[in-house]
Amino acid sequence: MTSHQTAQTMKPATAAKKLGVYLEATPAEFQEGVVSRTELNALQADPPEWLRELRANGPHPRPVVAAKLGVSISGLARGGITEPLTTEQIEALKQEAPEWLQKERATQAEVRKETVRIKAKHAEQAEKAERSAKDASGQQ
């Protein structure tokens, strides 16, 4: 009995998300087709000119804009940024450093600091639990 393995495919929106590009800015043939896992891997390994251009200059989807600005996606929305931005627009925003951006960056920095603190606390608790378990098994 032979098994026929079909190629795993995804919608263009999913592929664009994995590539970190704004779907509406991709070529029509990309938007209208399906993308196989093999094609996605090929695009990531050796990006064509259109993909290199989009990654470099945009327009960028919100997750990429948020990352480039150092804020959360929610922070973008609170700042009134709901549309994709180009690299040039992102750089202009960084230069302007509006009050909302400064506030959201500070918020994001606090969130990251708290995440690190919680992770360290959990690691310490796990270490204590492991030591207690070793001590308990050693005493029996």
Side-chain angles (χ1 to χ4, degrees), residues 91-104:
E91 291 305 317
L93 260 177
K94 285 180 179 179
Q95 292 299 314
E96 289 172 28
E99 187 178 326
W100 72 264
L101 180 57
Q102 294 174 35
K103 181 180 174 195
E104 291 299 334

Side-chain angles (χ1 to χ4, degrees), residues 54-92:
L54 275 178
R55 285 177 167 169
N57 301 313
H60 302 288
R62 286 180 307 151
V64 174
V65 173
K68 286 180 179 275
L69 289 173
V71 299
S72 66
I73 294 173
S74 299
L76 280 181
R78 286 189 292 270
I81 306 296
T82 56
E83 297 298 315
L85 298 179
T86 63
T87 300
E88 191 175 302
Q89 291 169 316
I90 292 168
E91 291 305 317

Side-chain angles (χ1 to χ4, degrees), residues 117-131:
R117 186 191 70 77
I118 290 170
K119 191 174 181 180
K121 182 179 177 185
H122 287 158
E124 184 181 316
Q125 288 172 340
E127 206 174 286
K128 279 182 183 177
E130 193 176 312
R131 279 198 305 266

